[in-house]
Amino acid sequence: MALLDILVYPDPRLRKKASPVELLNNRVQRLIRDMAETMYAAPGIGLAATQVNVQQRVIVADLSEEHDQLQVFINPVISSKQGEIETEEGCLSVPGITAPVPRAEEITVTALNADGLTFELTAIGLLAVCIQHEIDHLDGKVFVDYLSR
């Protein structure tokens, strides 16, 4: 495994929209492992492939204190959103800055897991916020975009 370089805002590569993963191969599996190692070392609770200059729709997240509950979302799509929550967000690509960002409090997301199996997850609270934040990265958005609203 390897630590990857995390792009720092305002790097224009953070604005690129990620492409879907077409084939779950060894390269993608290695990316997932390296992203997880990078996220844990940073430390953070989520990381999108675009943040490490890989323009593919891959997210890793782990909200556990022990770093033993890694979740992988490949080609994630949010199918429903409910409620609203505003939390103080930070970002590994925007070090030292936090700001309140409005998000849906509950989401349902469909994705592939690290084994290439489709799953659906209903996420609430911090996990829902994390997934939305990381999907924003896949879409070329950075949380500081919300500051000008």
Side-chain angles (χ1 to χ4, degrees), residues 40-118:
Y40 291 138
I45 62 168
L47 187 67
T50 51
Q51 290 179 271
V52 293
N53 198 29
V54 176
Q55 305 308 321
Q56 291 210 283
R57 297 188 74 79
V58 178
I59 294 169
V60 295
D62 188 341
L63 278 57
S64 72
E65 295 280 328
E66 300 79 18
H67 297 163
D68 62 355
Q69 296 177 26
L70 182 67
Q71 294 179 282
V72 176
F73 301 85
I74 300 169
N75 300 335
V77 175
I78 295 174
S79 58
S80 70
K81 297 180 178 185
Q82 291 184 300
E84 189 173 302
I85 187 172
E86 187 171 277
T87 59
E88 195 77 12
E89 289 187 28
C91 180
L92 297 176
S93 291
V94 189
I97 296 177
T98 61
V101 178
R103 302 275 187 192
E105 185 173 20
E106 179 180 313
I107 63 167
T108 300
V109 61
T110 303
L112 300 176
N113 66 17
D115 296 319
L117 302 174
T118 301

Side-chain angles (χ1 to χ4, degrees), residues 111-128:
L112 300 176
N113 66 17
D115 296 319
L117 302 174
T118 301
F119 70 97
E120 183 176 86
L121 173 74
T122 298
I124 301 170
L126 184 57
L127 181 57

